[in-house]
């Protein structure tokens, strides 16, 4: 019960045997024993003394501060231990207590039945009515050598009338006081002290006490070892082994108690004692010993010390041998030796009674006598007891001095010392100091002295035992010598662990086995002189018997010795030595267990293999409890013991089994019969990985063959018990230890276990048989632990339900009809470290509540046998799912995929961490997912010894260098566990396409034609409606365009055309009449959709994708993303060619027609009946331009609208590829300006050109369009796809490349403006089919660009009459304007040349005007010779003031033409200096992202110059 039988102070404990009595359960019995154990230490001052003076030899009043310490044992000692009494009296139970359950009285049971005691101690509870007195007698008969026999009835709140005096009633805890149990133990101690007096006086009356013999000697001499139920019943039993003289029977009061005399030792007369002789025949004075104390002569006459001395002298004279007299005679030496031995026994009685000062006195005197007479065994035993006295005195806080007899170098006492009486010899012992009052300083010095003396004292005691072996008569039994060596080694170990000091913590551990030790911060100075661990281990190993002495020990004694040695080795830290001893222990224990099982089977009359029963499955710790601490009397006790041994050898033990034992240990501490052995679920994934790494480190440590032998030995022990759970556990551990312990990869070659195939099959068969046997006896949770941690290698979803799985969609995509673009604003940065990272690369699996999905589980089996799996289900750490599959089989040495169906229960996140698997014969276990291959990397170099390499996390081997630390990190890097995260959404509708309007899912149309078809959707779900619908499309033409976008050599203009055709000009479109209504479909309802198809070249197929789902809330409440399910409708499209634009050309056009129309408008402005200009324009716009009057109508419109006078001609050649006539129409509208916004639709004012083209005909249409001015002609070409946008472009272009880029950009923007002003369509008059003509095939070159664009700075020249001339002179010199820039003037007339400069730029300019007159149609040198032909008043070149954007300025110059002829005046404007604006930045008018690199290169750094588009032609005539 927690008391160490091999404690250094075991001789100071009173052995108390506690047995169950009557009907009592195991749990209640242990509870009652625990109540007794709590009061196992009794202070003598609390014990009532005996009033009879003849029985107060051990009166508590003599030493009230003393303590009586009880050792409550529930198993009686073995016969070999009992044979050592009275040499070692503490081994024999002096008190026998029967425990009964008083609660049975409340149920009407006869109290007398409770007194029937279990005398066999085997767990059965006999009982009978009216046999209480007889039961007490049987108790005394079965344990006659005990001094006190008592029956305690617990939980009995009232005393039963007429109960025997040996029965004590103990109330329940509710009715007990704090001193109830203390009072009970004090009364028991008082009775014991009284009986010890009679026992001691009987010992004093004996002539001598011989040293106990070994078992071998007893067998040789025919002696009997006391144990009525032992295996040595064949040995004859003597009546006694203690000599006495033949005297009359005593009438002492102790005679009625029938105390037995301590046996062990043959009877030798004092005159026949010889230290160098063997035993003599009985005819030489041997007397027959009495059976009990009351049978011995002269016991009642011993009353006081003086009478005792006189009587002892008389008795001694009566027993004097006739061989010689005097102090040196053999008889005198024998008498002195007998006195010394009896003094040692008497001192041990004082020690047990708590009278430590008296014990010290008796022992010191007896040790002196024994040393003087060379009685080595008793001398050593006296020193042993003295050491125990000093320890308990120090524990009690008393001051003491070490007797001189303990020092090995002390002077020997002369033999004459033995003549002095023991009560008068104290004054002659100089080294004995009585105990004094406690003094802290003196006590500390005494403890230091004791620690210093202890090694020599221990060596002296053991040396005396060895010397005694030279004398056959005094040869000490091996069990006693071994126990002494173990006890001394334990004491030295406690002091060594405390760094050579013995303090109160160490004393608590030594006496009460309570470990409160803390390491001292400073090492004592005498540590160097204290024995090292190796020296202590040397003392300890002396306890091991040699091969010659092993035959003299029974199996129980050998087990006790080995267990004690292993216990001390564990405290010393010698775990490998401990494991070796434990292995020897198991080797000895195994045959005994097998023999015991055979004997039990023989008693039952059955075969040993069939002797298994449920009550036999519970083992007990027996002698192992004191060796290994808290090893329970259950199956887990032997398993814990075997686990300790396996760990040292490097066996990979099951972590869950260890946790279950720990859980059961806590449960057993509460004395609960029902031990919960349910599955112990592992903790976090990190803890699982840590266990795997630890197992890998353990697997790499030690020798594999030794591990296999140890595990097989453990299995044999568990089979011999029988312990079914142990068989299963260690069988699984054997498979786990020999396994490779890797997560095998595709190329792994070292995954096979290190166990032969036959042994693997045998172990698996053994596990199966054991499990079947456990089920036969209704043993729950008797399963093995599975041996491979990498059973699950991967989990993935292979197939969802028959419906297509939902997909994630963004809210911005709900109203998009194409899957290629998005209207959302994209980030202008290619890489934004502060932006949200996109997880588009990883696709998250998605499931719907209630819809089944198929999971593929990859399992690993690296063993050479088929793995039978009873059932398997997915293990989730978040969410829930219904999955279960049964009766699976995985082949040998392979990875195999298993399919399992599952349906999630609730929406949210479903996180699958592994599987719960029940392998046949194994416990249900949770297996994580190890997807990646893994193998433990062993250390190549390490500086660790012993067991430290097996423990990776120990502080004693932490790496100190960076290299060692990095190597440690690589080695301890465990496998990576993965989880399968699945998003689960709520129930979704099920929509199908019921019907469509297309026949055979095909449609035929011409290029540019638009057709529509319908499809009907139906929601076949019975419960879930559809409240969200989105359509997207794909077609073959878009696919071709998308592949073209991957070409990196495309120019920006070509890339723009492809993107425009892909993203903006949709081929398929959902035509919705109810744009504001939501498309909802109730369960079992229909919805009609209308789809529009546009014919494009290369279009051969198309598909409509319908995304639908159920939100349950309004769209405005949805933050960003939703889940929709998609169905598709593919169909075939056939597109035929219709009208193609094959060629185009741009030509400049004169402005004279516009000037003429404006002149006519001014002349008719005064007419009252004239139509307003806007009405004339609108009326003219509605005219149809037929081929015969097309140009006339166009010319009549020039200059009358909002446009300027500058136009250009557009020539378009159309070809009809359709085999039927087609009518084409081309519309041209006016150009809008920001200053003059149009209040109505500009296309209503557009003019239309019609033409009918026959099949295969090509026709040209001539259109007149206004010239176009570009505010920013070099803006970058925009990009419609965010994926093609580039954040920064570094260009290495040259000046010529830059000019080409300018031209390309200018042509692009001019083309875009032209396309805004035009649209064309075709019509088949016979069928009414119509379509649009693609005009984006227009192409421009540099010549065409000059014809189209309008100059940035406009220069207009005009000739007017001089305003300073006389009014009548105008008639003589009129100025006639023949065209917009053609004038006719007379010779020698004063005229004014006006130059109007208009700034159309967005920035101001500093203009420098240059005028250059010349003769028309002349050579260059002649044309500039104007000295006598032309005169002017002013400067031909002059700088003008700053001209703001949109402003105009006029410069006038007086000129006179001195000769007739044709003159030509040209003008040019040049920037005098470049305008620099430091306040505003130039904005990008093109795309979303400015191509800063090229824009910087295209920016002009030189001054610009502009020429007048038309020269001013002057016709000078002589007479007008």
């Amino acid at each position: 019960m927690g008391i160490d039988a091999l404690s250094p102070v075991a001789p100071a404990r009173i052995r108390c045997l506690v047995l169950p009595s009557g009907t009592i359960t195991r749990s209640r019995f242990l509870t009652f024993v625990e109540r007794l154990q709590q009061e196992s230490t009794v202070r003598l001052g609390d014990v009532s003394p005996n009033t009879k003076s003849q029985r107060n030899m051990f009166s508590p009043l003599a030493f009230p501060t003393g303590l009586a310490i009880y050792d409550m044992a529930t198993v009686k000692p073995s016969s070999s231990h009992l044979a050592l009494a009275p040499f070692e009296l503490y081994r024999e139970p002096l008190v026998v207590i029967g425990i009964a359950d008083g609660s049975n009285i409340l149920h009407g049971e006869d109290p007398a039945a409770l007194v029937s005691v279990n005398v066999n101690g085997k767990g059965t509870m006999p009982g009978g009515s009216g046999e209480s007195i007889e039961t007490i007698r049987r108790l005394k008969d079965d344990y006659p050598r005990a001094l006190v026999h008592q029956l305690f009835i617990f939980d009995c709140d009232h005393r039963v009338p007429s109960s025997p005096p040996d029965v004590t009633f103990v109330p329940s805890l509710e009715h007990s006081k704090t001193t109830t149990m203390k009072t009970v133990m004090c009364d028991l101690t008082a009775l014991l002290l009284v009986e010890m007096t009679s026992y001691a006086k009987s010992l004093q009356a004996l002539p001598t006490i011989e040293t106990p013999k070994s078992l071998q000697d007893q067998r040789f001499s025919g002696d009997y070892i006391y144990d009525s139920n032992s295996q040595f019943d064949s040995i004859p039993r003597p009546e006694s082994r203690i000599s006495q003289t033949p005297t009359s029977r005593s009438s002492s009061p102790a005679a009625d108690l029938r105390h037995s005399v301590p046996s062990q030792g043959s009877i030798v007369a004092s005159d026949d004692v010889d230290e160098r002789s063997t035993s003599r025949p009985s005819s030489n004075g041997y007397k027959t010993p009495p059976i009990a104390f009351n049978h011995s002569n002269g016991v009642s006459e011993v009353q006081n010390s003086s009478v005792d001395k006189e009587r002892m002298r008389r008795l001694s004279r009566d027993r004097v041998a006739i061989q010689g007299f005097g102090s040196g005679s053999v008889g005198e030496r024998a008498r002195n030796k007998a006195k010394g031995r009896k003094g040692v026994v008497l001192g041990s009685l004082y020690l047990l009674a708590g009278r430590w000062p008296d014990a010290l006195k008796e022992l010191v005197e007896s040790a002196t006598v024994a040393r003087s007479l060379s009685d080595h065994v008793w001398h050593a035993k006296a020193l042993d007891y003295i050491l125990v006295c000093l320890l308990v005195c120090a524990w009690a806080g008393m001051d003491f001095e070490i007797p001189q007899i303990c020092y090995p170098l002390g002077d020997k006492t002369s033999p004459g010392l033995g003549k002095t009486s023991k009560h008068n010899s104290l004054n002659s012992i100089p080294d004995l100091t009585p105990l004094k009052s406690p003094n802290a300083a003196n006590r500390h010095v005494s403890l230091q002295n004791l620690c210093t003396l202890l090694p020599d004292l221990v060596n002296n005691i053991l040396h005396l035992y060895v010397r005694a072996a030279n004398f056959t008569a005094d040869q000490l039994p091996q069990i006693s010598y071994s126990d002494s060596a173990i006890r001394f080694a334990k004491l030295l170990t406690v002091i060594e662990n405390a760094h050579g000091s013995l303090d109160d913590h160490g004393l608590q551990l030594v006496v009460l086995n309570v470990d409160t030790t803390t390491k001292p911060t400073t090492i004592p100075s005498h540590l160097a002189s204290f024995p090292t661990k190796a020296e202590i281990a040397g003392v300890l190993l002396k306890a091991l018997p040699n091969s010659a002495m092993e035959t003299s020990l029974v199996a129980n004694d050998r087990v006790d010795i080995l267990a004690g040695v292993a216990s001390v080795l564990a405290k010393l830290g010698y775990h490998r030595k401990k494991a070796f001893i434990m292995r020897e222990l198991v080797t000895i224990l195994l045959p005994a267990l097998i023999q015991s099982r055979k004997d039990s089977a023989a008693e039952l009359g059955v075969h040993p293999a069939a002797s298994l029963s449920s009550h036999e499955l519970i083992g007990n710790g027996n002698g192992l409890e004191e060796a290994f601490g808290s090893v329970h009397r259950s199956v887990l006790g032997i398993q814990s013991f075997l686990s300790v041994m396996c760990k040292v050898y490097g066996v990979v033990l099951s972590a869950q089994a260890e946790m279950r034992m720990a859980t059961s240990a806590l449960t057993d501490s509460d004395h609960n019969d029902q031990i919960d052995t349910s599955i112990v679920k592992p903790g976090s994934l990190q803890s699982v990985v840590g266990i795997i790494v630890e197992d890998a480190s353990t697997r790499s440590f030690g020798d594999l063959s030794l591990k296999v032998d140890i595990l097989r030995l453990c299995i044999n022990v568990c089979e011999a018990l029988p312990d079914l759970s142990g068989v299963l556990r260690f069988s699984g551990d054997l498979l786990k230890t020999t396994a490779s312990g890797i997560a095998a990869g595709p190329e792994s070659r070292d995954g096979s276990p290190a166990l032969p195939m036959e042994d693997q099959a045998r172990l698996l068969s053994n596990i199966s048989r054991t499990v079947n046997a456990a089920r036969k006896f209704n043993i729950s949770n008797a399963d093995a632990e599975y041996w491979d941690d990498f059973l699950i290698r991967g989990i993935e979803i292979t197939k969802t339900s028959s419906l297509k799985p939902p997909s994630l969609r963004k809210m911005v995509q709900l109203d998009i009809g194409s899957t290629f673009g998005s209207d959302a604003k994209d980030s202008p940065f290619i890489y934004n470290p502060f932006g949200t990272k996109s997880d588009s690369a990883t696709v998250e699996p998605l499931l719907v509540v209630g819809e089944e999905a198929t999971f593929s589980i990859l399992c690993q089996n690296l063993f050479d046998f088929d793995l039978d799996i009873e059932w398997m289900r997915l293990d989730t750490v978040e969410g829930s799912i219904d999955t279960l599959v049964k009766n699976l089989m995985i082949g040998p040495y392979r990875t195999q995929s298993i399919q399992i169906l599952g349906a999630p229960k609730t929406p949210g996140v479903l996180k699958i961490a592994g599987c719960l698997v029940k392998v046949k014969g194994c416990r249900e276990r949770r297996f994580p997912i190890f997807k990646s291959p893994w193998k433990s990397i062993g250390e190549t170099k390490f500086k660790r010894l012993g067991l430290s390499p097996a423990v990776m996390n120990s502080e004693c081997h932490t790496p100190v260098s960076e290299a060692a630390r990095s190597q440690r990190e690589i080695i301890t890097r465990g496998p990576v566990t993965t989880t399968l995260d699945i998003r689960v959404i709520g129930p979704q509708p099920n929509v199908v396409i019921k019907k469509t309007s297309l026949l055979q899912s095909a449609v035929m149309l011409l290029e540019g034609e638009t057709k529509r078809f319908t499809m009907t959707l139906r929601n076949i779900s019975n419960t879930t409606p559809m409240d969200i619908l989105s359509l997207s499309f794909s077609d073959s033409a878009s696919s071709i365009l998308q592949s073209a976008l991957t070409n990196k050599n495309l120019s920006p203009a070509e890339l723009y055309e492809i993107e425009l055709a892909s993203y903006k000009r949709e081929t398929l479109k959902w035509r919705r009449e109810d744009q504001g209504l939501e498309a909802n479909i109730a369960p079992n309802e229909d919805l009609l959709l209308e789809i529009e198809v546009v014919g494009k070249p290369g279009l051969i197929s198309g598909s409509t994708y319908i995304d639908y789902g159920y939100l349950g809330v309004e769209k405005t409440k949805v933050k960003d993303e939703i889940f929709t399910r998609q169905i598709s409708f593919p169909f075939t499209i056939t597109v035929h060619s219709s009208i193609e634009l094959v060629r185009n050309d741009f030509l400049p056009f004169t402005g004279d027609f516009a000037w003429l129309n404006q002149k006519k408008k001014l002349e008719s402005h005064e007419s009252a009946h004239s139509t307003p200009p806007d009405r004339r324009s609108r009326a003219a716009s509605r005219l149809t331009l037929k081929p015969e009057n097309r140009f006339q109508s166009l010319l009549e419109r020039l200059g009358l609208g909002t446009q300027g006078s500058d136009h250009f001609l557009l020539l378009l050649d159309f070809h009809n590829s359709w085999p039927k006539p087609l009518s084409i129409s081309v519309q041209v509208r006016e150009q809008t300006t920001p200053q003059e916004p149009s209040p109505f639709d500009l296309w209503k004012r557009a003019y239309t050109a019609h033409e009918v083209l026959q099949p295969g005909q090509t026709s040209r249409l001539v259109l007149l369009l206004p010239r176009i001015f570009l505010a920013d002609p070099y803006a970058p070409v925009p990009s419609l796809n965010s994926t093609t946008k580039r954040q920064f472009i570094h260009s290495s272009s040259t000046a010529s490349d830059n000019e080409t880029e300018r031209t390309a950009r200018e042509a692009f923007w001019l083309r875009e403006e032209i396309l805004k002003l035009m649209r064309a369509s075709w019509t088949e008059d016979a069928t009414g089919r119509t379509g649009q003509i693609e005009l984006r095939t227009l192409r421009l070159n540099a010549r065409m660009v000059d014809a189209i664009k309008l100059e940035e700075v406009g220069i207009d020249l005009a000739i007017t009459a001089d305003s300073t001339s006389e009014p009548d002179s105008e008639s003589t010199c009129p100025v006639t304007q023949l065209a917009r820039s053609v004038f006719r003037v007379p010779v020698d007339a004063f005229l004014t040349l006006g130059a109007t400069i208009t700034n159309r730029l967005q920035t101001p300019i500093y203009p420098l005007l240059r005028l250059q007159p010349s003769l028309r149609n002349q050579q260059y040198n002649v044309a500039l010779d104007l000295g006598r032909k032309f005169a002017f008043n002013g400067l031909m070149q002059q700088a003008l003031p700053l001209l703001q954007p949109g402003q105009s300025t006029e410069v006038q110059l007086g000129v006179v033409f001195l000769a007739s002829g044709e003159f030509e005046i040209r003008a040019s404007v040049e920037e005098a200096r470049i305008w620099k604006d430091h306040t505003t930045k130039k904005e990008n008018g093109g795309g979303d992202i400015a191509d800063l690199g090229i824009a910087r290169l295209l920016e002009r750094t030189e001054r610009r110059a502009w020429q007048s588009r038309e020269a001013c032609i002057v016709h000078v005539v002589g007479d007008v």
Side-chain angles (χ1 to χ4, degrees), residues 80 95 130 242 312 321 500 535 617 699 705 714 813 909 931 1078 1122 1156 1234 1299 1325 1426 1445 1475 1478:
S80 59
V95 179
I242 301 180
M312 291 299 297
E535 295 174 348
L617 297 177
R699 188 178 286 107
S705 60
C714 294
Q813 297 177 342
V909 177
K931 194 171 184 179
E1078 297 290 341
I1122 61 173
L1156 182 61
E1299 188 64 29
D1325 297 334
L1426 300 176
W1475 168 263
H1478 301 285

Side-chain angles (χ1 to χ4, degrees), residues 809-818 821-826 1028 1030 1115 1118-1122:
R809 294 288 301 274
K810 294 184 178 181
M811 291 297 297
V812 295
Q813 297 177 342
L814 294 178
D815 297 329
I816 295 177
S818 176
S822 176
D823 294 338
K825 181 70 175 178
D826 296 317
I1028 183 171
S1030 175
K1115 292 183 181 180
V1118 180
K1119 294 182 179 180
D1120 187 18
E1121 299 172 340
I1122 61 173

Side-chain angles (χ1 to χ4, degrees), residues 278-483:
T278 59
S279 59
R280 302 180 181 272
S282 58
S283 58
N284 295 334
Y286 282 76
K287 306 296 181 180
T288 301
I291 298 178
F293 289 145
N294 54 349
H295 295 168
S296 60
N297 296 330
V299 174
S300 59
E301 287 81 359
V302 182
Q303 297 181 359
N304 48 47
S305 58
S306 59
V307 176
D308 290 342
K309 294 177 182 179
E310 184 64 26
R311 185 178 298 275
M312 291 299 297
R313 293 191 186 97
R314 185 173 62 253
L315 292 175
S316 298
R317 287 194 298 270
D318 295 338
R319 294 193 296 267
V320 169
I322 60 176
Q323 298 177 1
F325 295 91
S327 59
S329 63
V330 176
E332 183 65 19
R333 290 175 58 87
R335 285 190 293 271
N336 292 335
K337 183 182 296 186
K339 291 180 182 180
R341 292 182 177 183
K342 288 187 287 184
V344 172
V345 177
L346 183 60
S348 66
L349 284 175
Y350 279 117
L351 183 61
L352 293 173
R355 297 269 298 271
W356 303 324
D358 298 331
L360 189 59
K361 294 177 182 179
E362 290 289 343
L363 293 172
V364 168
E365 180 184 358
S366 302
T368 304
V369 174
R371 184 177 65 176
S372 62
L373 298 176
S374 299
D375 194 358
H376 303 303
V377 172
W378 292 88
H379 177 203
K381 181 56 62 178
L383 294 178
D384 186 359
Y385 288 159
I386 291 174
L387 177 60
V388 174
C389 284
L390 296 179
L391 290 175
V392 294
C393 290
W395 168 69
M398 301 177 183
D399 187 17
F400 64 92
E401 291 185 6
I402 302 175
Q404 188 65 31
I405 190 65
C406 297
Y407 292 94
L409 299 179
D411 297 334
K412 283 189 175 184
T413 307
S414 60
L417 202 66
K419 299 179 181 180
T420 311
S421 174
K422 64 179 179 181
H423 297 286
N424 298 327
S425 62
L426 294 178
N427 295 330
S428 62
I429 302 177
D431 59 349
L432 178 62
T433 304
L435 296 175
K436 303 176 182 179
S437 58
N439 187 291
N442 295 338
R443 179 171 174 270
H444 180 69
V445 173
S446 299
L447 288 175
Q448 287 186 345
N449 295 334
L450 180 60
C451 293
T452 304
L453 174 65
L454 189 59
D456 295 334
L457 181 59
V458 168
N459 290 332
N460 188 23
I461 295 175
L462 296 179
H463 178 66
L464 290 175
Y465 285 144
V466 173
R467 290 185 62 186
N470 298 326
F471 304 97
T472 306
D474 288 341
Q475 185 176 2
L476 187 67
Q478 180 65 36
I479 181 64
S480 179
Y481 177 80
S482 298
D483 287 359

Side-chain angles (χ1 to χ4, degrees), residues 718-774:
C718 294
E719 288 178 347
L721 283 175
D723 176 10
L724 300 186
S725 62
V727 173
L728 293 174
R729 176 188 174 185
F730 292 108
S731 298
D733 291 342
L734 179 55
L735 290 173
K736 188 172 185 179
T737 301
T738 56
S740 59
I742 67 172
E747 303 297 332
S748 297
R749 303 292 183 184
D750 52 353
S752 300
L755 203 63
M757 184 183 304
E758 296 77 8
D759 292 345
Q760 298 179 36
R762 190 179 301 108
L763 282 174
L764 186 64
S765 177
N766 189 25
I767 291 175
S768 178
R769 290 196 309 269
T770 307
V771 171
N772 294 333

Side-chain angles (χ1 to χ4, degrees), residues 1152 1155 1376-1383:
D1152 293 341
W1155 171 80
T1376 304
Q1377 186 173 2
L1378 302 179
R1380 188 175 65 170
S1381 299
V1382 179
F1383 298 90

Side-chain angles (χ1 to χ4, degrees), residues 1018-1265:
R1018 183 173 182 82
N1019 183 10
I1020 62 176
S1021 177
N1022 297 324
T1023 57
T1024 307
M1026 187 203 74
D1027 59 358
I1028 183 171
L1029 181 66
S1030 175
L1031 267 66
S1032 58
F1033 309 96
S1034 67
D1035 56 83
S1036 57
S1038 300
S1039 302
I1040 297 174
L1041 295 174
Q1042 287 295 316
S1043 61
L1045 288 175
T1046 59
N1047 188 2
K1048 301 299 182 181
N1049 298 324
L1050 295 176
S1051 63
E1054 293 173 339
L1055 187 63
Y1056 176 82
E1057 290 296 328
I1058 298 176
E1059 292 176 350
L1060 182 64
S1062 300
Y1063 303 146
K1064 298 301 181 181
R1065 308 185 69 184
E1066 303 167 354
T1067 304
L1068 301 173
K1069 183 183 296 184
W1070 178 19
R1071 305 300 299 183
R1072 301 183 60 181
E1073 297 179 357
D1074 50 348
Q1075 295 290 339
L1077 299 178
E1078 297 290 341
N1080 298 333
I1081 307 178
N1084 299 319
E1085 295 294 333
D1086 298 339
L1087 177 66
L1088 183 65
L1089 301 179
E1090 188 176 12
I1091 309 300
E1092 183 180 84
V1093 185
V1094 180
K1096 288 184 178 181
L1099 184 61
I1100 59 176
S1101 64
S1103 297
T1104 301
Y1105 301 97
I1106 303 171
D1107 292 284
Y1108 65 92
Y1110 174 68
L1111 291 178
V1113 295
E1114 297 180 0
K1115 292 183 181 180
T1116 56
K1117 296 182 180 180
V1118 180
K1119 294 182 179 180
D1120 187 18
E1121 299 172 340
I1122 61 173
F1123 289 94
T1124 59
R1125 182 169 277 149
Q1126 188 181 83
I1127 57 175
S1128 62
F1129 174 66
F1131 54 92
T1132 303
I1133 305 174
T1134 303
V1135 180
H1136 297 282
S1137 298
S1138 56
I1139 301 296
E1140 298 179 5
L1141 178 62
V1142 293
R1143 284 183 299 272
N1144 66 277
D1145 196 4
F1146 296 86
L1147 298 176
F1149 189 72
T1150 180
D1152 293 341
F1153 291 96
W1155 171 80
L1156 182 61
N1157 292 335
Q1158 292 174 0
K1159 181 179 180 181
K1160 292 178 180 180
K1161 178 181 177 181
L1162 292 175
E1163 290 177 354
S1164 61
H1165 183 68
E1166 297 177 357
S1167 176
H1169 300 285
S1170 63
T1171 305
D1174 55 348
R1175 289 184 175 271
R1176 292 200 303 271
S1177 299
R1178 290 194 298 270
S1181 66
R1182 290 193 292 269
L1183 296 176
T1184 301
L1185 300 182
K1186 298 299 181 179
E1188 59 273 8
N1189 60 357
R1190 179 184 304 159
F1191 295 106
Q1192 181 180 356
S1193 300
L1194 287 176
L1195 294 177
E1196 290 177 355
R1197 291 170 56 90
L1198 296 179
L1200 299 180
T1202 59
Q1203 304 298 325
S1205 302
D1206 296 330
H1207 292 78
F1208 64 93
L1209 289 177
L1210 173 59
L1211 307 180
L1212 300 177
D1213 293 345
F1214 293 100
H1215 176 75
N1216 182 11
S1217 302
W1218 183 242
K1220 294 181 180 181
L1222 296 176
S1223 175
I1224 62 174
S1225 300
V1226 180
Q1227 286 184 300
V1228 180
R1229 67 174 178 86
E1230 296 179 355
Q1231 186 178 12
T1232 59
T1233 59
Q1235 293 80 7
E1236 298 179 1
S1238 178
F1240 51 86
D1241 190 2
L1242 295 177
W1243 290 108
K1244 293 181 179 180
R1245 298 177 56 184
Y1247 69 89
T1248 305
H1250 294 276
E1251 186 73 26
V1252 177
L1253 298 180
Q1254 296 301 321
Q1257 180 185 357
T1258 300
S1259 177
R1260 173 172 290 180
L1261 293 181
V1262 180
L1263 302 177
L1264 195 61
L1265 282 79

